[in-house]
Amino acid sequence: MEERKTVLSIRNLSVSFSQYERGFHQKDLLAIKDLSLDVKEGEMVAVVGSSGSGKSLLAHSVLGILPYNGTWTGEISYYGEVLTEKRMKELRGKEMVLVPQSVSYLDPLMKTGPQIRKGKKDEKSRKKSLEVLKRYGLDPSTEHLYPFELSGGMTRRILISTAIMEQPRLVIADEPTPGLHIDIAKRVLSHFREMADEGAGVLLITHDLELALEAADRIVVFYAGTNVEEALVSDFQEESRLRHPYTRTLYRAMPDHGFFAEPGTQPYAGNRPAGCPYAPRCGDVQEQCLKEVGYRSFRGGMVRCIKAGGEAG
Ligand SMILES: Nc1ncnc2c1ncn2[C@@H]1O[C@H](COP(=O)(O)OP(=O)(O)OP(=O)(O)O)[C@@H](O)[C@H]1O
Ligand SMILES: [Mg+2]
């Protein structure tokens, strides 16, 4: 079988923010710590994690659009080429596209049609943009509307349309489905799936584990700014196949598995404990968990837990 090329490779990504506390005292907030993941051609990888776990920051790092007070370290490569901020800018919106989480990425003063077509005026682009609108159940006249005239769900569909007008090789979709009717949400995901089947690499960022399991190939679980597990979709058929205790709580929280809500919350980046970030909630904490825990291969996936596979691994 032909080896699939790796579209996106992220190694040991950390993102921090400089913040000023009480006057001139500067403090660094480590929002993402030691994150690694790959997306191959033809593959849809879903990143799942609760609010504040660093999902959008991951997307923004790859595209070179972190906020001004943010800096990153580590290595981000696209088809084997280590990316600089300059190169990210060149690829952005063309080969690498983002479906942003926030509607503030639309220009409030520009009608949606020209935004989708990125200013292109030729007949082919117009035809394609109308096809894209139709695909997501939007009337052709939507192209004449300004962003303030759109409902939340319409806006989300416009954001998706804007990203897929080109033929990207890497699509990063940051929460593309909230606010959408389930049928449209499924249509959106099946469209991303199609893009992957045609050879693109797709990174889907979502809270919705159930939807992710329907469309993706692999699931990467985020917790407090890092990844704790990488699993195949098929691993979610049985709780015992999952590698990290946090992933198992996500499994038990699914409607089909009892809707169990785990007590406690994910620590805020500024209060992340030393060692395993999940240790304060874990029922099986050992002394070693309070030291740095590495991310390692385990049973066809990845895990950041000393307990997976028996004692310290
Ligand atoms: N400009 C910034 N300055 C300081 N901290 C920031 C900044 N932007 C994000 N953060 C912090 O980084 C962490 C991760 O944020 P991020 O937006 O990536 O979360 P997320 O997983 O996308 O959450 P959600 O699911 O709510 O979209 C949060 O704790 C957030 O407060
Ligand atoms: Mg986000």
mmCIF file of all heavy atoms in Angstrom, residues 156-194:
data_model
loop_
_atom_site.group_PDB
_atom_site.id
_atom_site.type_symbol
_atom_site.label_atom_id
_atom_site.label_comp_id
_atom_site.label_asym_id
_atom_site.label_seq_id
_atom_site.Cartn_x
_atom_site.Cartn_y
_atom_site.Cartn_z
ATOM 1 N N ARG A 156 -22.398 30.793 10.248
ATOM 2 C CA ARG A 156 -21.483 29.657 10.331
ATOM 3 C C ARG A 156 -21.324 28.998 8.963
ATOM 4 O O ARG A 156 -20.240 28.622 8.546
ATOM 5 C CB ARG A 156 -22.027 28.664 11.360
ATOM 6 C CG ARG A 156 -21.010 27.697 11.815
ATOM 7 C CD ARG A 156 -21.135 27.338 13.266
ATOM 8 N NE ARG A 156 -20.776 28.388 14.180
ATOM 9 C CZ ARG A 156 -19.537 28.819 14.396
ATOM 10 N NH1 ARG A 156 -18.527 28.306 13.750
ATOM 11 N NH2 ARG A 156 -19.302 29.781 15.249
ATOM 12 N N ARG A 157 -22.426 28.903 8.232
ATOM 13 C CA ARG A 157 -22.348 28.283 6.906
ATOM 14 C C ARG A 157 -21.551 29.157 5.933
ATOM 15 O O ARG A 157 -20.869 28.661 5.058
ATOM 16 C CB ARG A 157 -23.751 27.992 6.378
ATOM 17 C CG ARG A 157 -24.350 26.769 7.079
ATOM 18 C CD ARG A 157 -25.735 26.465 6.611
ATOM 19 N NE ARG A 157 -26.744 27.147 7.415
ATOM 20 C CZ ARG A 157 -28.034 27.177 7.113
ATOM 21 N NH1 ARG A 157 -28.462 26.592 6.006
ATOM 22 N NH2 ARG A 157 -28.882 27.792 7.891
ATOM 23 N N ILE A 158 -21.633 30.465 6.122
ATOM 24 C CA ILE A 158 -20.834 31.370 5.268
ATOM 25 C C ILE A 158 -19.348 31.202 5.574
ATOM 26 O O ILE A 158 -18.509 31.159 4.675
ATOM 27 C CB ILE A 158 -21.270 32.850 5.478
ATOM 28 C CG1 ILE A 158 -22.700 33.074 5.000
ATOM 29 C CG2 ILE A 158 -20.300 33.818 4.789
ATOM 30 C CD1 ILE A 158 -22.925 32.946 3.503
ATOM 31 N N LEU A 159 -19.035 31.053 6.868
ATOM 32 C CA LEU A 159 -17.623 30.863 7.243
ATOM 33 C C LEU A 159 -17.077 29.591 6.589
ATOM 34 O O LEU A 159 -15.943 29.558 6.105
ATOM 35 C CB LEU A 159 -17.484 30.748 8.769
ATOM 36 C CG LEU A 159 -17.668 32.029 9.565
ATOM 37 C CD1 LEU A 159 -17.763 31.721 11.059
ATOM 38 C CD2 LEU A 159 -16.517 32.993 9.310
ATOM 39 N N ILE A 160 -17.889 28.556 6.585
ATOM 40 C CA ILE A 160 -17.445 27.291 5.979
ATOM 41 C C ILE A 160 -17.294 27.478 4.472
ATOM 42 O O ILE A 160 -16.285 27.072 3.875
ATOM 43 C CB ILE A 160 -18.450 26.158 6.292
ATOM 44 C CG1 ILE A 160 -18.517 25.932 7.795
ATOM 45 C CG2 ILE A 160 -18.057 24.871 5.574
ATOM 46 C CD1 ILE A 160 -19.706 25.128 8.265
ATOM 47 N N SER A 161 -18.278 28.130 3.857
ATOM 48 C CA SER A 161 -18.219 28.354 2.407
ATOM 49 C C SER A 161 -16.960 29.116 2.022
ATOM 50 O O SER A 161 -16.310 28.811 1.026
ATOM 51 C CB SER A 161 -19.433 29.162 1.934
ATOM 52 O OG SER A 161 -20.620 28.558 2.366
ATOM 53 N N THR A 162 -16.602 30.114 2.837
ATOM 54 C CA THR A 162 -15.426 30.938 2.543
ATOM 55 C C THR A 162 -14.165 30.071 2.521
ATOM 56 O O THR A 162 -13.297 30.230 1.662
ATOM 57 C CB THR A 162 -15.275 32.035 3.625
ATOM 58 O OG1 THR A 162 -16.535 32.691 3.740
ATOM 59 C CG2 THR A 162 -14.229 33.051 3.275
ATOM 60 N N ALA A 163 -14.101 29.135 3.464
ATOM 61 C CA ALA A 163 -12.890 28.307 3.557
ATOM 62 C C ALA A 163 -12.786 27.307 2.410
ATOM 63 O O ALA A 163 -11.690 26.987 1.965
ATOM 64 C CB ALA A 163 -12.871 27.582 4.894
ATOM 65 N N ILE A 164 -13.906 26.809 1.934
ATOM 66 C CA ILE A 164 -13.802 25.705 0.977
ATOM 67 C C ILE A 164 -13.897 26.132 -0.483
ATOM 68 O O ILE A 164 -13.954 25.290 -1.372
ATOM 69 C CB ILE A 164 -14.841 24.603 1.261
ATOM 70 C CG1 ILE A 164 -16.253 25.175 1.162
ATOM 71 C CG2 ILE A 164 -14.614 23.992 2.637
ATOM 72 C CD1 ILE A 164 -17.256 24.139 0.887
ATOM 73 N N MET A 165 -13.893 27.424 -0.739
ATOM 74 C CA MET A 165 -13.936 27.893 -2.127
ATOM 75 C C MET A 165 -12.690 27.470 -2.894
ATOM 76 O O MET A 165 -12.726 27.171 -4.066
ATOM 77 C CB MET A 165 -14.060 29.415 -2.164
ATOM 78 C CG MET A 165 -15.467 29.921 -2.251
ATOM 79 S SD MET A 165 -16.256 29.439 -3.793
ATOM 80 C CE MET A 165 -15.521 30.628 -4.927
ATOM 81 N N GLU A 166 -11.551 27.475 -2.201
ATOM 82 C CA GLU A 166 -10.303 27.038 -2.847
ATOM 83 C C GLU A 166 -10.233 25.527 -2.713
ATOM 84 O O GLU A 166 -11.096 24.907 -2.133
ATOM 85 C CB GLU A 166 -9.109 27.674 -2.118
ATOM 86 C CG GLU A 166 -9.197 29.161 -1.938
ATOM 87 C CD GLU A 166 -8.971 29.930 -3.230
ATOM 88 O OE1 GLU A 166 -8.140 29.481 -4.027
ATOM 89 O OE2 GLU A 166 -9.633 30.953 -3.441
ATOM 90 N N GLN A 167 -9.159 24.955 -3.245
ATOM 91 C CA GLN A 167 -8.986 23.519 -3.029
ATOM 92 C C GLN A 167 -7.850 23.305 -2.046
ATOM 93 O O GLN A 167 -6.712 23.043 -2.427
ATOM 94 C CB GLN A 167 -8.692 22.830 -4.340
ATOM 95 C CG GLN A 167 -9.960 22.665 -5.135
ATOM 96 C CD GLN A 167 -9.911 21.443 -5.996
ATOM 97 O OE1 GLN A 167 -8.949 21.246 -6.720
ATOM 98 N NE2 GLN A 167 -10.940 20.623 -5.920
ATOM 99 N N PRO A 168 -8.157 23.443 -0.764
ATOM 100 C CA PRO A 168 -7.093 23.368 0.236
ATOM 101 C C PRO A 168 -6.549 21.953 0.396
ATOM 102 O O PRO A 168 -7.251 20.974 0.150
ATOM 103 C CB PRO A 168 -7.800 23.818 1.508
ATOM 104 C CG PRO A 168 -9.239 23.543 1.284
ATOM 105 C CD PRO A 168 -9.487 23.647 -0.165
ATOM 106 N N ARG A 169 -5.284 21.885 0.841
ATOM 107 C CA ARG A 169 -4.695 20.577 1.132
ATOM 108 C C ARG A 169 -4.737 20.294 2.620
ATOM 109 O O ARG A 169 -4.572 19.177 3.051
ATOM 110 C CB ARG A 169 -3.257 20.543 0.619
ATOM 111 C CG ARG A 169 -3.230 20.738 -0.892
ATOM 112 C CD ARG A 169 -1.829 20.926 -1.393
ATOM 113 N NE ARG A 169 -1.196 19.636 -1.588
ATOM 114 C CZ ARG A 169 0.036 19.496 -2.079
ATOM 115 N NH1 ARG A 169 0.743 20.557 -2.402
ATOM 116 N NH2 ARG A 169 0.551 18.307 -2.235
ATOM 117 N N LEU A 170 -4.949 21.370 3.375
ATOM 118 C CA LEU A 170 -5.133 21.207 4.823
ATOM 119 C C LEU A 170 -6.299 22.094 5.251
ATOM 120 O O LEU A 170 -6.299 23.291 4.992
ATOM 121 C CB LEU A 170 -3.864 21.628 5.577
ATOM 122 C CG LEU A 170 -3.990 21.627 7.099
ATOM 123 C CD1 LEU A 170 -4.202 20.218 7.641
ATOM 124 C CD2 LEU A 170 -2.753 22.238 7.752
ATOM 125 N N VAL A 171 -7.284 21.463 5.871
ATOM 126 C CA VAL A 171 -8.442 22.217 6.363
ATOM 127 C C VAL A 171 -8.451 22.103 7.882
ATOM 128 O O VAL A 171 -8.409 20.999 8.418
ATOM 129 C CB VAL A 171 -9.768 21.613 5.834
ATOM 130 C CG1 VAL A 171 -10.966 22.413 6.336
ATOM 131 C CG2 VAL A 171 -9.770 21.525 4.331
ATOM 132 N N ILE A 172 -8.490 23.245 8.564
ATOM 133 C CA ILE A 172 -8.648 23.222 10.015
ATOM 134 C C ILE A 172 -9.998 23.849 10.320
ATOM 135 O O ILE A 172 -10.214 25.027 10.041
ATOM 136 C CB ILE A 172 -7.514 23.979 10.733
ATOM 137 C CG1 ILE A 172 -6.157 23.383 10.311
ATOM 138 C CG2 ILE A 172 -7.708 23.920 12.243
ATOM 139 C CD1 ILE A 172 -4.962 23.971 11.027
ATOM 140 N N ALA A 173 -10.895 23.037 10.805
ATOM 141 C CA ALA A 173 -12.254 23.520 11.070
ATOM 142 C C ALA A 173 -12.434 23.622 12.574
ATOM 143 O O ALA A 173 -12.433 22.608 13.280
ATOM 144 C CB ALA A 173 -13.275 22.565 10.466
ATOM 145 N N ASP A 174 -12.554 24.859 13.063
ATOM 146 C CA ASP A 174 -12.633 25.103 14.510
ATOM 147 C C ASP A 174 -14.099 25.219 14.921
ATOM 148 O O ASP A 174 -14.731 26.245 14.686
ATOM 149 C CB ASP A 174 -11.849 26.385 14.841
ATOM 150 C CG ASP A 174 -11.652 26.572 16.341
ATOM 151 O OD1 ASP A 174 -12.149 25.735 17.112
ATOM 152 O OD2 ASP A 174 -10.988 27.551 16.719
ATOM 153 N N GLU A 175 -14.628 24.198 15.508
ATOM 154 C CA GLU A 175 -16.034 24.157 15.942
ATOM 155 C C GLU A 175 -16.959 24.585 14.805
ATOM 156 O O GLU A 175 -17.668 25.601 14.941
ATOM 157 C CB GLU A 175 -16.269 25.091 17.141
ATOM 158 C CG GLU A 175 -15.472 24.749 18.376
ATOM 159 C CD GLU A 175 -16.063 23.604 19.183
ATOM 160 O OE1 GLU A 175 -17.054 23.002 18.725
ATOM 161 O OE2 GLU A 175 -15.516 23.283 20.234
ATOM 162 N N PRO A 176 -16.998 23.862 13.712
ATOM 163 C CA PRO A 176 -17.800 24.349 12.585
ATOM 164 C C PRO A 176 -19.303 24.129 12.727
ATOM 165 O O PRO A 176 -20.067 24.693 11.963
ATOM 166 C CB PRO A 176 -17.263 23.524 11.403
ATOM 167 C CG PRO A 176 -16.750 22.272 12.008
ATOM 168 C CD PRO A 176 -16.254 22.625 13.381
ATOM 169 N N THR A 177 -19.745 23.354 13.722
ATOM 170 C CA THR A 177 -21.161 22.974 13.707
ATOM 171 C C THR A 177 -22.087 23.555 14.773
ATOM 172 O O THR A 177 -23.293 23.410 14.635
ATOM 173 C CB THR A 177 -21.284 21.429 13.759
ATOM 174 O OG1 THR A 177 -20.568 20.963 14.908
ATOM 175 C CG2 THR A 177 -20.738 20.795 12.509
ATOM 176 N N PRO A 178 -21.619 24.217 15.843
ATOM 177 C CA PRO A 178 -22.603 24.677 16.831
ATOM 178 C C PRO A 178 -23.637 25.614 16.225
ATOM 179 O O PRO A 178 -23.309 26.400 15.331
ATOM 180 C CB PRO A 178 -21.783 25.415 17.890
ATOM 181 C CG PRO A 178 -20.385 25.247 17.561
ATOM 182 C CD PRO A 178 -20.262 24.618 16.224
ATOM 183 N N GLY A 179 -24.841 25.492 16.698
ATOM 184 C CA GLY A 179 -25.896 26.370 16.193
ATOM 185 C C GLY A 179 -26.507 25.858 14.912
ATOM 186 O O GLY A 179 -27.487 26.417 14.420
ATOM 187 N N LEU A 180 -25.958 24.802 14.359
ATOM 188 C CA LEU A 180 -26.533 24.288 13.118
ATOM 189 C C LEU A 180 -27.508 23.156 13.438
ATOM 190 O O LEU A 180 -27.297 22.383 14.374
ATOM 191 C CB LEU A 180 -25.429 23.732 12.204
ATOM 192 C CG LEU A 180 -24.408 24.727 11.666
ATOM 193 C CD1 LEU A 180 -23.465 24.032 10.707
ATOM 194 C CD2 LEU A 180 -25.105 25.881 10.952
ATOM 195 N N HIS A 181 -28.544 23.089 12.633
ATOM 196 C CA HIS A 181 -29.482 21.978 12.734
ATOM 197 C C HIS A 181 -28.698 20.690 12.504
ATOM 198 O O HIS A 181 -27.756 20.662 11.707
ATOM 199 C CB HIS A 181 -30.546 22.165 11.641
ATOM 200 C CG HIS A 181 -31.637 21.150 11.733
ATOM 201 N ND1 HIS A 181 -31.536 19.908 11.138
ATOM 202 C CD2 HIS A 181 -32.835 21.180 12.348
ATOM 203 C CE1 HIS A 181 -32.638 19.225 11.392
ATOM 204 N NE2 HIS A 181 -33.434 19.984 12.123
ATOM 205 N N ILE A 182 -29.070 19.629 13.196
ATOM 206 C CA ILE A 182 -28.285 18.389 13.133
ATOM 207 C C ILE A 182 -28.079 17.893 11.687
ATOM 208 O O ILE A 182 -26.994 17.410 11.333
ATOM 209 C CB ILE A 182 -28.903 17.287 14.056
ATOM 210 C CG1 ILE A 182 -28.043 16.030 14.085
ATOM 211 C CG2 ILE A 182 -30.320 16.956 13.707
ATOM 212 C CD1 ILE A 182 -26.752 16.187 14.848
ATOM 213 N N ASP A 183 -29.107 18.077 10.838
ATOM 214 C CA ASP A 183 -28.960 17.618 9.442
ATOM 215 C C ASP A 183 -27.877 18.414 8.720
ATOM 216 O O ASP A 183 -27.089 17.862 7.963
ATOM 217 C CB ASP A 183 -30.280 17.780 8.664
ATOM 218 C CG ASP A 183 -31.346 16.871 9.222
ATOM 219 O OD1 ASP A 183 -30.971 15.908 9.920
ATOM 220 O OD2 ASP A 183 -32.536 17.142 8.977
ATOM 221 N N ILE A 184 -27.879 19.734 8.961
ATOM 222 C CA ILE A 184 -26.866 20.586 8.310
ATOM 223 C C ILE A 184 -25.496 20.267 8.910
ATOM 224 O O ILE A 184 -24.500 20.170 8.195
ATOM 225 C CB ILE A 184 -27.190 22.092 8.502
ATOM 226 C CG1 ILE A 184 -28.557 22.437 7.911
ATOM 227 C CG2 ILE A 184 -26.094 22.970 7.910
ATOM 228 C CD1 ILE A 184 -28.581 22.836 6.472
ATOM 229 N N ALA A 185 -25.457 20.068 10.226
ATOM 230 C CA ALA A 185 -24.174 19.744 10.880
ATOM 231 C C ALA A 185 -23.600 18.472 10.265
ATOM 232 O O ALA A 185 -22.411 18.396 9.949
ATOM 233 C CB ALA A 185 -24.385 19.568 12.377
ATOM 234 N N LYS A 186 -24.452 17.493 10.046
ATOM 235 C CA LYS A 186 -23.974 16.232 9.457
ATOM 236 C C LYS A 186 -23.526 16.449 8.018
ATOM 237 O O LYS A 186 -22.555 15.848 7.561
ATOM 238 C CB LYS A 186 -25.069 15.160 9.526
ATOM 239 C CG LYS A 186 -25.209 14.647 10.942
ATOM 240 C CD LYS A 186 -26.086 13.430 11.024
ATOM 241 C CE LYS A 186 -26.031 12.909 12.466
ATOM 242 N NZ LYS A 186 -26.987 11.903 12.763
ATOM 243 N N ARG A 187 -24.253 17.332 7.311
ATOM 244 C CA ARG A 187 -23.875 17.619 5.922
ATOM 245 C C ARG A 187 -22.501 18.296 5.878
ATOM 246 O O ARG A 187 -21.660 17.996 5.041
ATOM 247 C CB ARG A 187 -24.923 18.521 5.272
ATOM 248 C CG ARG A 187 -24.875 18.426 3.755
ATOM 249 C CD ARG A 187 -25.889 19.303 3.072
ATOM 250 N NE ARG A 187 -27.244 19.183 3.583
ATOM 251 C CZ ARG A 187 -28.215 20.040 3.275
ATOM 252 N NH1 ARG A 187 -27.986 21.063 2.477
ATOM 253 N NH2 ARG A 187 -29.419 19.893 3.762
ATOM 254 N N VAL A 188 -22.300 19.222 6.814
ATOM 255 C CA VAL A 188 -21.013 19.915 6.880
ATOM 256 C C VAL A 188 -19.891 18.906 7.129
ATOM 257 O O VAL A 188 -18.880 18.886 6.426
ATOM 258 C CB VAL A 188 -21.039 20.981 8.018
ATOM 259 C CG1 VAL A 188 -19.653 21.477 8.341
ATOM 260 C CG2 VAL A 188 -21.948 22.131 7.624
ATOM 261 N N LEU A 189 -20.127 18.033 8.107
ATOM 262 C CA LEU A 189 -19.077 17.055 8.409
ATOM 263 C C LEU A 189 -18.859 16.090 7.262
ATOM 264 O O LEU A 189 -17.725 15.710 6.968
ATOM 265 C CB LEU A 189 -19.415 16.280 9.683
ATOM 266 C CG LEU A 189 -19.228 17.044 10.979
ATOM 267 C CD1 LEU A 189 -19.105 16.095 12.147
ATOM 268 C CD2 LEU A 189 -17.998 17.940 10.964
ATOM 269 N N SER A 190 -19.941 15.717 6.583
ATOM 270 C CA SER A 190 -19.740 14.774 5.478
ATOM 271 C C SER A 190 -18.992 15.465 4.336
ATOM 272 O O SER A 190 -18.239 14.825 3.609
ATOM 273 C CB SER A 190 -21.052 14.148 5.008
ATOM 274 O OG SER A 190 -21.823 15.118 4.376
ATOM 275 N N HIS A 191 -19.162 16.779 4.252
ATOM 276 C CA HIS A 191 -18.400 17.490 3.230
ATOM 277 C C HIS A 191 -16.906 17.510 3.572
ATOM 278 O O HIS A 191 -16.053 17.293 2.711
ATOM 279 C CB HIS A 191 -18.933 18.913 3.046
ATOM 280 C CG HIS A 191 -18.218 19.612 1.946
ATOM 281 N ND1 HIS A 191 -18.218 19.121 0.663
ATOM 282 C CD2 HIS A 191 -17.427 20.685 1.942
ATOM 283 C CE1 HIS A 191 -17.462 19.893 -0.081
ATOM 284 N NE2 HIS A 191 -16.964 20.849 0.677
ATOM 285 N N PHE A 192 -16.585 17.743 4.847
ATOM 286 C CA PHE A 192 -15.173 17.675 5.252
ATOM 287 C C PHE A 192 -14.635 16.264 5.035
ATOM 288 O O PHE A 192 -13.491 16.083 4.638
ATOM 289 C CB PHE A 192 -14.999 18.081 6.724
ATOM 290 C CG PHE A 192 -15.204 19.550 6.967
ATOM 291 C CD1 PHE A 192 -15.996 20.002 8.005
ATOM 292 C CD2 PHE A 192 -14.598 20.492 6.150
ATOM 293 C CE1 PHE A 192 -16.186 21.346 8.231
ATOM 294 C CE2 PHE A 192 -14.781 21.848 6.360
ATOM 295 C CZ PHE A 192 -15.583 22.273 7.400
ATOM 296 N N ARG A 193 -15.486 15.297 5.315
ATOM 297 C CA ARG A 193 -15.074 13.893 5.100
ATOM 298 C C ARG A 193 -14.731 13.670 3.623
ATOM 299 O O ARG A 193 -13.733 13.056 3.286
ATOM 300 C CB ARG A 193 -16.218 12.989 5.556
ATOM 301 C CG ARG A 193 -16.026 11.511 5.415
ATOM 302 C CD ARG A 193 -15.007 10.975 6.400
ATOM 303 N NE ARG A 193 -13.754 10.668 5.759
ATOM 304 C CZ ARG A 193 -12.656 10.278 6.415
ATOM 305 N NH1 ARG A 193 -12.644 10.184 7.730
ATOM 306 N NH2 ARG A 193 -11.559 10.023 5.769
ATOM 307 N N GLU A 194 -15.586 14.215 2.758
ATOM 308 C CA GLU A 194 -15.340 14.087 1.312
ATOM 309 C C GLU A 194 -14.001 14.726 0.933
ATOM 310 O O GLU A 194 -13.259 14.186 0.119
ATOM 311 C CB GLU A 194 -16.402 14.871 0.535
ATOM 312 C CG GLU A 194 -17.433 14.042 -0.157
ATOM 313 C CD GLU A 194 -18.551 14.959 -0.657
ATOM 314 O OE1 GLU A 194 -18.279 15.904 -1.419
ATOM 315 O OE2 GLU A 194 -19.704 14.721 -0.235
#
